[in-house]
Amino acid sequence: MLTTSAKPVKNMTKKQIQIFFERLREQRPHPKTELNYSNPFELLVAVTLSAQATDVSVNKATDKLFPVANTPEAIFALGVDGLKQYIKTIGLYNAKAENVIKACKILIEKHNSIVPDNRADLEALPGVGHKTANVVLNTAFGQATMAVDTHIFRVGNRTGLAVGKNVLEVEQRLVKVIPKEFILDSHHWLILHGRYCCIARKPKCNECVVSDVCQWSDRFEFGASKFVTTKTLEDKS
């Protein structure tokens, strides 16, 4: 379980979860990925490149790549060595270049160069796993999927939103407990919250808009107010 406390974290109640996402929605009414892209194929490539890399590093590479090649045919024409020249600043770029080129070939030959909007065909592409497919389905096609990365895994476990021992457990819990009105944008809300507020070593609990419904006992040591929770829940009664 990914918390900085040895104390067990209990799951949030339905009421707390409702408040949690109402606050995140109010804070960021229109959340979106921080990867730069203009079509489903660019998103697919960017997400594939982002594995074990930062969005910032991916954007620096794709900002140079996409003006030159942003279709399966154009990137395939670069070849592995040509693609490497654009993405060599990204971690694991050798394997990623090979996977992207192979994926482009499959898209051209089997999908008329169109990114498929279903999990089976997406996960059949080299370099596209469960998480990458979830991101593409959610962001490019508006499907209610939940891609759990390190940020979401941490937020889920630390806050009590979705306690789980592994990524799959957290994903399944999130899909089960998040109200339908929030599910489509919840992936982005949780990533951004984990990236900028509920960070790993020094979470900004004193600035957190959901600290009063968070179940992490150590949040008070990082500045969370001790005098809000009861009133907040009474207001929602």
Side-chain angles (χ1 to χ4, degrees):
M1 188 180 298
L2 192 58
T3 68
T4 57
S5 172
K7 300 176 183 177
V9 177
K10 65 179 181 179
N11 286 309
M12 286 185 189
T13 64
K14 288 184 179 181
K15 185 179 294 185
Q16 290 168 335
I17 291 172
Q18 181 72 24
I19 295 170
F20 183 92
F21 282 103
E22 285 178 355
R23 299 273 184 76
L24 295 186
R25 180 173 60 187
E26 182 178 357
Q27 183 183 47
R28 295 186 175 94
H30 306 290
K32 60 181 181 179
T33 179
E34 293 187 319
L35 291 171
N36 295 337
Y37 77 100
S38 61
N39 58 56
F41 176 70
E42 287 185 358
L43 177 65
L44 175 65
V45 172
V47 178
T48 301
L49 296 177
S50 70
Q52 298 184 48
T54 65
D55 287 358
V56 172
S57 67
V58 173
N59 287 338
K60 287 181 179 178
T62 57
D63 285 350
K64 296 179 180 178
L65 170 64
F66 290 156
V68 175
N70 72 337
T71 66
E73 290 86 355
I75 289 186
F76 185 74
L78 290 176
V80 173
D81 291 337
L83 179 56
K84 285 181 182 180
Q85 298 307 307
Y86 289 96
I87 68 171
K88 60 185 178 182
T89 56
I90 301 174
L92 306 175
Y93 75 94
N94 287 310
K96 290 176 181 178
E98 292 183 3
N99 283 332
V100 169
I101 293 299
K102 290 177 182 177
C104 287
K105 187 174 188 293
I106 294 173
L107 289 173
I108 294 168
E109 294 179 349
K110 294 186 177 181
H111 301 287
N112 296 315
S113 298
I114 297 174
V115 176
D117 61 358
N118 66 86
R119 181 180 303 282
D121 286 336
L122 279 172
E123 292 188 6
L125 297 173
V128 178
H130 184 74
K131 185 179 75 172
T132 297
N134 275 345
V135 174
V136 174
L137 291 172
N138 178 270
T139 304
F141 300 112
Q143 297 185 24
T145 58
M146 174 56 64
V148 177
D149 67 352
T150 55
H151 296 301
I152 294 179
F153 185 78
R154 178 175 65 255
V155 171
N157 274 291
R158 177 183 278 167
T159 65
L161 175 64
V163 177
K165 296 179 181 179
N166 54 55
V167 169
L168 183 58
E169 285 187 8
V170 171
E171 176 185 334
Q172 292 173 338
R173 176 72 180 172
L174 287 171
V175 171
K176 180 180 179 180
V177 303
I178 296 175
K180 290 184 179 180
E181 66 177 300
F182 304 115
I183 191 68
L184 186 61
D185 289 323
S186 59
H187 164 73
H188 297 306
W189 281 321
L190 292 173
I191 284 181
L192 294 171
H193 188 65
R195 183 173 290 166
Y196 296 112
C197 184
C198 196
I199 55 181
R201 294 189 177 182
K202 294 182 179 180
K204 302 176 182 179
C205 299
N206 60 317
E207 302 175 13
C208 181
V209 297
V210 293
S211 63
D212 52 322
V213 292
C214 175
Q215 299 301 298
W216 188 41
S217 60
D218 289 353
R219 68 192 184 279
F220 305 118
E221 297 179 15
F222 290 90
S225 173
K226 296 183 179 181
F227 307 105
V228 183
T229 305
T230 302
K231 183 179 185 303
T232 301
L233 295 181
E234 287 177 350
D235 287 346
K236 285 292 176 179
S237 298

